[in-house]
Amino acid sequence: MGKKEKKELKGMWLLKALLVGYVITGVLLMILALLLYKIDLDEQKVTIGIIATYIISTFAGGFIMGRLVEKQKFIWGLVLGIIYFLLLFVVSFMVNHQLQSNGTNLLTTFLLCAGGGMLGGMLS
């Protein structure tokens, strides 16, 4: 297998791992919305749920990516977490046509996504 084929294969693996991460995000956000509806969660608990969703989703994606690449797992998990954040940021910006949070919240979200992906890759 040539270098070009390996790069294409890793690109496909990255897309699959991202897809898994976003499916998990969707499921967890639906559960959070159901809990919000049924038991009237306060804002702090919703925020904790969203943070947990970011971490769990990027961890799962990084874990899958690490299993697939078998070398430099933590780097691939980190890459997955960064791409996850960037897609999340772009879609959020496109929907709202403005930044909804300040720089500190963006940095925190970035670190959570990157760290969750990297941890998933390391533990795979």
Side-chain angles (χ1 to χ4, degrees), residues 57-105:
S57 299
T58 54
F59 178 87
F63 188 86
I64 290 169
M65 193 64 198
R67 287 287 174 136
L68 292 171
V69 295
E70 297 176 356
K71 291 183 180 178
Q72 298 178 325
K73 297 176 179 188
F74 72 98
I75 292 175
W76 282 102
L78 177 65
V79 167
L80 180 123
I82 291 170
I83 293 172
Y84 178 96
F85 169 79
L86 291 174
L87 286 172
L88 188 70
F89 177 79
V90 167
V91 169
S92 177
F93 188 77
M94 288 173 58
V95 168
N96 298 314
H97 302 292
Q98 64 182 355
L99 293 177
Q100 292 288 16
S101 42
N102 60 25
T104 305
N105 288 343

Side-chain angles (χ1 to χ4, degrees), residues 25 28-29 31-33 35-36 41-57 84 105 108-109 112:
T25 298
L28 291 176
L29 288 178
I31 291 169
L32 187 61
L35 290 173
L36 180 63
L41 295 175
D42 61 9
E43 186 176 344
Q44 183 180 6
K45 289 178 183 162
V46 171
T47 301
I48 291 169
I50 291 170
I51 290 169
T53 298
Y54 291 153
I55 295 170
I56 292 167
S57 299
Y84 178 96
N105 288 343
T108 302
T109 303
L112 289 171

